[in-house]
PDB file of all heavy atoms in Angstrom:
ATOM      1  N   HIS D 197       4.107  18.483  -8.739  1.00 98.00           N
ATOM      2  CA  HIS D 197       5.431  17.931  -8.407  1.00 98.00           C
ATOM      3  C   HIS D 197       5.172  16.794  -7.471  1.00 98.00           C
ATOM      4  O   HIS D 197       5.183  16.946  -6.256  1.00 98.00           O
ATOM      5  CB  HIS D 197       6.274  19.057  -7.739  1.00 98.00           C
ATOM      6  CG  HIS D 197       6.482  20.267  -8.611  1.00 98.00           C
ATOM      7  ND1 HIS D 197       7.441  20.317  -9.559  1.00 98.00           N
ATOM      8  CD2 HIS D 197       5.782  21.398  -8.666  1.00 98.00           C
ATOM      9  CE1 HIS D 197       7.350  21.483 -10.214  1.00 98.00           C
ATOM     10  NE2 HIS D 197       6.345  22.181  -9.643  1.00 98.00           N
ATOM     11  N   GLY D 198       4.918  15.626  -7.998  1.00 98.00           N
ATOM     12  CA  GLY D 198       4.614  14.443  -7.242  1.00 98.00           C
ATOM     13  C   GLY D 198       3.901  13.454  -8.159  1.00 98.00           C
ATOM     14  O   GLY D 198       3.704  13.722  -9.368  1.00 98.00           O
ATOM     15  N   ASN D 199       3.562  12.296  -7.649  1.00 98.00           N
ATOM     16  CA  ASN D 199       2.920  11.257  -8.417  1.00 98.00           C
ATOM     17  C   ASN D 199       1.423  11.499  -8.542  1.00 98.00           C
ATOM     18  O   ASN D 199       0.820  12.100  -7.613  1.00 98.00           O
ATOM     19  CB  ASN D 199       3.144   9.888  -7.806  1.00 98.00           C
ATOM     20  CG  ASN D 199       4.601   9.522  -7.802  1.00 98.00           C
ATOM     21  OD1 ASN D 199       5.370   9.897  -8.724  1.00 98.00           O
ATOM     22  ND2 ASN D 199       5.063   8.835  -6.783  1.00 98.00           N
ATOM     23  N   VAL D 200       0.803  11.070  -9.626  1.00 98.00           N
ATOM     24  CA  VAL D 200      -0.579  11.243  -9.873  1.00 98.00           C
ATOM     25  C   VAL D 200      -1.245   9.859 -10.052  1.00 98.00           C
ATOM     26  O   VAL D 200      -0.834   9.077 -10.900  1.00 98.00           O
ATOM     27  CB  VAL D 200      -0.801  12.091 -11.123  1.00 98.00           C
ATOM     28  CG1 VAL D 200      -2.262  12.181 -11.477  1.00 98.00           C
ATOM     29  CG2 VAL D 200      -0.215  13.493 -10.954  1.00 98.00           C
ATOM     30  N   TYR D 201      -2.245   9.582  -9.204  1.00 97.00           N
ATOM     31  CA  TYR D 201      -2.972   8.334  -9.280  1.00 97.00           C
ATOM     32  C   TYR D 201      -4.398   8.688  -9.694  1.00 97.00           C
ATOM     33  O   TYR D 201      -5.066   9.445  -9.037  1.00 97.00           O
ATOM     34  CB  TYR D 201      -3.014   7.648  -7.885  1.00 97.00           C
ATOM     35  CG  TYR D 201      -1.584   7.352  -7.405  1.00 97.00           C
ATOM     36  CD1 TYR D 201      -0.907   8.303  -6.677  1.00 97.00           C
ATOM     37  CD2 TYR D 201      -1.003   6.125  -7.638  1.00 97.00           C
ATOM     38  CE1 TYR D 201       0.388   8.028  -6.235  1.00 97.00           C
ATOM     39  CE2 TYR D 201       0.286   5.864  -7.188  1.00 97.00           C
ATOM     40  CZ  TYR D 201       0.974   6.800  -6.476  1.00 97.00           C
ATOM     41  OH  TYR D 201       2.231   6.532  -6.042  1.00 97.00           O
ATOM     42  N   TYR D 202      -4.846   8.141 -10.817  1.00 97.00           N
ATOM     43  CA  TYR D 202      -6.100   8.583 -11.390  1.00 97.00           C
ATOM     44  C   TYR D 202      -6.879   7.386 -11.957  1.00 97.00           C
ATOM     45  O   TYR D 202      -6.347   6.328 -12.255  1.00 97.00           O
ATOM     46  CB  TYR D 202      -5.876   9.602 -12.497  1.00 97.00           C
ATOM     47  CG  TYR D 202      -5.123   8.996 -13.684  1.00 97.00           C
ATOM     48  CD1 TYR D 202      -5.844   8.517 -14.756  1.00 97.00           C
ATOM     49  CD2 TYR D 202      -3.725   8.888 -13.693  1.00 97.00           C
ATOM     50  CE1 TYR D 202      -5.186   7.920 -15.885  1.00 97.00           C
ATOM     51  CE2 TYR D 202      -3.089   8.282 -14.742  1.00 97.00           C
ATOM     52  CZ  TYR D 202      -3.793   7.797 -15.833  1.00 97.00           C
ATOM     53  OH  TYR D 202      -3.173   7.227 -16.878  1.00 97.00           O
ATOM     54  N   ASN D 203      -8.172   7.618 -12.183  1.00 95.00           N
ATOM     55  CA  ASN D 203      -8.995   6.664 -12.891  1.00 95.00           C
ATOM     56  C   ASN D 203      -9.281   7.152 -14.287  1.00 95.00           C
ATOM     57  O   ASN D 203      -9.131   6.415 -15.247  1.00 95.00           O
ATOM     58  CB  ASN D 203     -10.336   6.419 -12.093  1.00 95.00           C
ATOM     59  CG  ASN D 203     -11.182   5.357 -12.720  1.00 95.00           C
ATOM     60  OD1 ASN D 203     -10.702   4.480 -13.408  1.00 95.00           O
ATOM     61  ND2 ASN D 203     -12.481   5.384 -12.444  1.00 95.00           N
ATOM     62  N   LEU D 204      -9.645   8.431 -14.422  1.00 96.00           N
ATOM     63  CA  LEU D 204      -9.874   9.056 -15.713  1.00 96.00           C
ATOM     64  C   LEU D 204      -9.196  10.406 -15.676  1.00 96.00           C
ATOM     65  O   LEU D 204      -9.349  11.161 -14.693  1.00 96.00           O
ATOM     66  CB  LEU D 204     -11.389   9.268 -15.943  1.00 96.00           C
ATOM     67  CG  LEU D 204     -11.815   9.952 -17.222  1.00 96.00           C
ATOM     68  CD1 LEU D 204     -11.480   9.098 -18.438  1.00 96.00           C
ATOM     69  CD2 LEU D 204     -13.291  10.282 -17.150  1.00 96.00           C
ATOM     70  N   ILE D 205      -8.358  10.700 -16.676  1.00 96.00           N
ATOM     71  CA  ILE D 205      -7.636  11.945 -16.681  1.00 96.00           C
ATOM     72  C   ILE D 205      -7.882  12.745 -17.971  1.00 96.00           C
ATOM     73  O   ILE D 205      -8.074  12.190 -19.044  1.00 96.00           O
ATOM     74  CB  ILE D 205      -6.074  11.666 -16.557  1.00 96.00           C
ATOM     75  CG1 ILE D 205      -5.309  12.961 -16.267  1.00 96.00           C
ATOM     76  CG2 ILE D 205      -5.554  10.913 -17.758  1.00 96.00           C
ATOM     77  CD1 ILE D 205      -3.843  12.728 -15.883  1.00 96.00           C
ATOM     78  N   GLU D 206      -7.876  14.068 -17.768  1.00 97.00           N
ATOM     79  CA  GLU D 206      -8.039  14.999 -18.911  1.00 97.00           C
ATOM     80  C   GLU D 206      -6.933  16.037 -18.702  1.00 97.00           C
ATOM     81  O   GLU D 206      -6.823  16.654 -17.662  1.00 97.00           O
ATOM     82  CB  GLU D 206      -9.428  15.674 -18.811  1.00 97.00           C
ATOM     83  CG  GLU D 206      -9.746  16.612 -19.880  1.00 97.00           C
ATOM     84  CD  GLU D 206     -11.144  17.170 -19.727  1.00 97.00           C
ATOM     85  OE1 GLU D 206     -11.958  16.628 -18.985  1.00 97.00           O
ATOM     86  OE2 GLU D 206     -11.414  18.242 -20.349  1.00 97.00           O
ATOM     87  N   MET D 207      -6.107  16.170 -19.710  1.00 96.00           N
ATOM     88  CA  MET D 207      -4.890  17.011 -19.562  1.00 96.00           C
ATOM     89  C   MET D 207      -4.800  17.964 -20.702  1.00 96.00           C
ATOM     90  O   MET D 207      -4.778  17.591 -21.880  1.00 96.00           O
ATOM     91  CB  MET D 207      -3.642  16.153 -19.498  1.00 96.00           C
ATOM     92  CG  MET D 207      -2.417  16.787 -19.078  1.00 96.00           C
ATOM     93  SD  MET D 207      -1.109  15.555 -18.744  1.00 96.00           S
ATOM     94  CE  MET D 207       0.187  16.586 -18.224  1.00 96.00           C
ATOM     95  N   ALA D 208      -4.738  19.271 -20.398  1.00 97.00           N
ATOM     96  CA  ALA D 208      -4.648  20.295 -21.430  1.00 97.00           C
ATOM     97  C   ALA D 208      -3.164  20.536 -21.785  1.00 97.00           C
ATOM     98  O   ALA D 208      -2.280  20.304 -20.992  1.00 97.00           O
ATOM     99  CB  ALA D 208      -5.226  21.629 -20.917  1.00 97.00           C
ATOM    100  N   MET D 209      -2.940  21.049 -23.007  1.00 97.00           N
ATOM    101  CA  MET D 209      -1.590  21.350 -23.429  1.00 97.00           C
ATOM    102  C   MET D 209      -1.066  22.496 -22.515  1.00 97.00           C
ATOM    103  O   MET D 209      -1.734  23.483 -22.245  1.00 97.00           O
ATOM    104  CB  MET D 209      -1.622  21.866 -24.846  1.00 97.00           C
ATOM    105  CG  MET D 209      -0.238  21.995 -25.438  1.00 97.00           C
ATOM    106  SD  MET D 209      -0.081  22.559 -27.145  1.00 97.00           S
ATOM    107  CE  MET D 209      -1.661  22.339 -27.851  1.00 97.00           C
ATOM    108  N   GLY D 210       0.117  22.266 -21.996  1.00 97.00           N
ATOM    109  CA  GLY D 210       0.735  23.249 -21.083  1.00 97.00           C
ATOM    110  C   GLY D 210       0.812  22.733 -19.676  1.00 97.00           C
ATOM    111  O   GLY D 210       1.574  23.198 -18.866  1.00 97.00           O
ATOM    112  N   ALA D 211      -0.065  21.763 -19.305  1.00 98.00           N
ATOM    113  CA  ALA D 211      -0.028  21.206 -17.951  1.00 98.00           C
ATOM    114  C   ALA D 211       1.239  20.369 -17.800  1.00 98.00           C
ATOM    115  O   ALA D 211       1.726  19.782 -18.783  1.00 98.00           O
ATOM    116  CB  ALA D 211      -1.288  20.349 -17.723  1.00 98.00           C
ATOM    117  N   SER D 212       1.783  20.339 -16.588  1.00 97.00           N
ATOM    118  CA  SER D 212       3.008  19.537 -16.344  1.00 97.00           C
ATOM    119  C   SER D 212       2.887  18.714 -15.090  1.00 97.00           C
ATOM    120  O   SER D 212       2.299  19.103 -14.132  1.00 97.00           O
ATOM    121  CB  SER D 212       4.223  20.467 -16.232  1.00 97.00           C
ATOM    122  OG  SER D 212       4.167  21.220 -15.071  1.00 97.00           O
TER     123      SER D 212
END
Side-chain angles (χ1 to χ4, degrees):
H197 303 277
N199 297 326
V200 174
Y201 301 87
Y202 65 94
N203 185 21
L204 178 68
I205 190 169
E206 183 178 342
M207 191 170 183
M209 188 179 343
S212 68

